Amino acid sequence: MSASRAGEARIVQAVHGRHERPADPAYQAGLAEELRQSYGRAGLIELYGRFATGDGVVDTMMRKAIWQAITRSCGTGLQVAGGAGFKHPETFEIGDGVFIGAQAYIQGRFDGTCVIGDNVWIGPMAYFDARDLVIEDCVGWGPGAKVLGSTHTALPVDVPIIRTDLEIKPVRIGAWADIGTNATILPGVTIGKGAIVGAGAVVVSDVEPFSVVAGVPAKFIRWRTEADPVLDISHGGRS
């Protein structure tokens, strides 16, 4: 009788990153344009509320069409799960093949910029202070991970902090980077290409390309190599 292998790690192929970019149906672009012409920005935001949480085919199609209609630009193959929300989506530029998980929230600003590159995977309940945010191509974003792109100046000290000015600093996430579950990226931070941020890390300074960081505050752990094992400090269970 052979020993049980239950509980051992196993390696399976990723799904999102290996997919061909899904083609939109022929009517998709026309639907988005019709919505844009008929509703305008305020109307589209109100309309989105009707389809924001459903899981059916119509809800899924309408979420996608409304995002395509209301953003500054949006590629093909977008998938938006139920409960995903936004603020100032007119400042968003979204690439091809982007997935936005359930209850993720992207908070832009009327004079801001939010760029999300091709084939980016955003896990459920992620949060983005997207007043000045660029996420390059093929980034994996773990469930619950966050970007904080601004802070209050807290000056002068004789007024409530929430009434003080906001200081906005750009956050840049390099291509191929992987942000672990519940990690937090603070204002002004740049994550280098191909870097890995461990689950739960709080990143307060720039991360070198192809490095691995973890902890609170996040510290350099090692460089990635071709012989990297399964990186269980970073992945959030996505396929």
Side-chain angles (χ1 to χ4, degrees):
M1 182 176 178
S2 62
S4 172
R5 297 176 63 87
E8 292 185 6
R10 61 193 181 111
I11 295 176
V12 299
Q13 284 196 341
V15 176
H16 179 81
R18 290 174 180 262
H19 269 167
E20 296 292 329
R21 291 178 184 173
D24 286 343
Y27 60 80
Q28 188 72 39
L31 174 60
E33 181 59 29
E34 181 64 29
L35 292 173
R36 184 183 299 113
Q37 295 294 331
S38 299
Y39 287 87
R41 188 171 73 88
L44 285 171
I45 292 172
E46 181 179 352
L47 184 66
Y48 187 75
R50 302 186 199 175
F51 303 100
T53 58
D55 292 327
V57 173
V58 172
D59 299 274
T60 301
M61 175 187 67
M62 289 300 293
R63 280 198 296 272
K64 176 178 179 176
I66 292 170
W67 278 71
Q68 290 177 318
I70 202 170
T71 52
R72 182 179 295 160
S73 64
C74 185
T76 62
L78 174 68
Q79 300 176 71
V80 182
F86 51 67
K87 187 173 183 179
H88 289 295
E90 73 277 9
T91 64
F92 299 175
E93 300 173 23
I94 299 175
D96 294 325
V98 171
F99 173 84
I100 301 174
Q103 300 182 55
Y105 192 81
I106 304 176
Q107 180 173 347
R109 180 181 154 92
F110 69 95
D111 59 353
T113 295
C114 171
V115 177
I116 299 175
D118 295 340
N119 291 321
V120 171
W121 189 96
I122 296 172
M125 302 185 74
Y127 171 76
F128 299 88
D129 175 341
R131 294 171 171 91
D132 189 347
L133 173 66
V134 174
I135 299 175
E136 297 182 351
D137 297 345
C138 300
V139 167
W141 197 272
K146 302 170 182 64
V147 164
L148 303 182
S150 61
T151 55
H152 287 277
T153 63
L155 295 173
V157 297
D158 59 346
V159 300
I161 292 173
I162 60 172
R163 291 181 57 188
T164 63
D165 293 341
L166 280 178
E167 182 179 26
I168 299 169
K169 294 182 178 179
V171 174
R172 302 290 182 260
I173 312 297
W176 308 359
D178 190 85
I179 311 301
T181 300
N182 286 328
T184 300
I185 314 299
L186 294 190
V189 166
T190 292
I191 306 295
K193 179 179 180 179
I196 294 174
V197 174
V202 176
V203 185
V204 301
S205 58
D206 293 351
V207 174
E208 292 292 324
F210 295 99
S211 65
V212 179
V213 302
V216 182
K219 296 181 178 178
F220 174 81
I221 303 297
R222 59 183 171 82
W223 299 105
R224 290 180 59 195
T225 69
E226 291 295 332
D228 231 350
V230 177
L231 296 167
D232 58 359
I233 64 169
S234 67
H235 291 282
R238 60 183 173 278
S239 56

